[in-house]
Amino acid sequence: MVLMQDCHEQLLEHGRTTEGVYQTANNAVERLEADGVVTEMTRNKQNRVFRAEEIMEIVERPVRELPDPGALVDVEQAWNLPER
């Protein structure tokens, strides 16, 4: 699965030009699509719109149905960012 950090690092490394930014972003979206994380909704060649179904299911839930954040995140470890 594509990690957002991987995408960010690729953008920093290869995205020095407009063409580089487009190609790097396009590659990242293709990986997300191949992994089933996003689905292309528009069927356009340009100005495409993607949806991350699992994320949207959570975002669109009523607040009362959301799990307790403490059950999802180890707060002690949440701020331990990876070394750069």
Side-chain angles (χ1 to χ4, degrees), residues 32-74:
L32 289 168
E33 194 171 17
D35 287 343
V37 175
V38 298
T39 304
E40 201 264 319
M41 306 297 291
T42 55
R43 299 182 188 163
N44 295 339
K45 289 188 178 198
Q46 295 179 340
N47 302 321
R48 297 176 296 167
V49 174
F50 294 85
R51 180 176 171 92
E53 191 64 37
E54 289 183 42
I55 293 170
M56 293 310 297
E57 285 175 5
I58 294 168
V59 170
E60 293 171 347
R61 277 188 206 164
V63 172
R64 67 184 176 278
E65 293 179 17
L66 295 175
D68 178 67
L72 301 174
V73 177
D74 181 354

Side-chain angles (χ1 to χ4, degrees), residues 3-47:
L3 298 174
M4 293 310 291
Q5 184 175 355
D6 292 341
C7 296
H8 181 258
E9 289 171 3
Q10 286 180 17
L11 282 169
L12 289 176
E13 184 177 337
H14 301 291
R16 303 287 184 224
T17 65
T18 303
E19 183 178 323
V21 169
Y22 172 81
Q23 190 58 54
T24 301
N26 197 49
N27 291 345
V29 170
E30 285 178 5
R31 287 175 59 188
L32 289 168
E33 194 171 17
D35 287 343
V37 175
V38 298
T39 304
E40 201 264 319
M41 306 297 291
T42 55
R43 299 182 188 163
N44 295 339
K45 289 188 178 198
Q46 295 179 340
N47 302 321

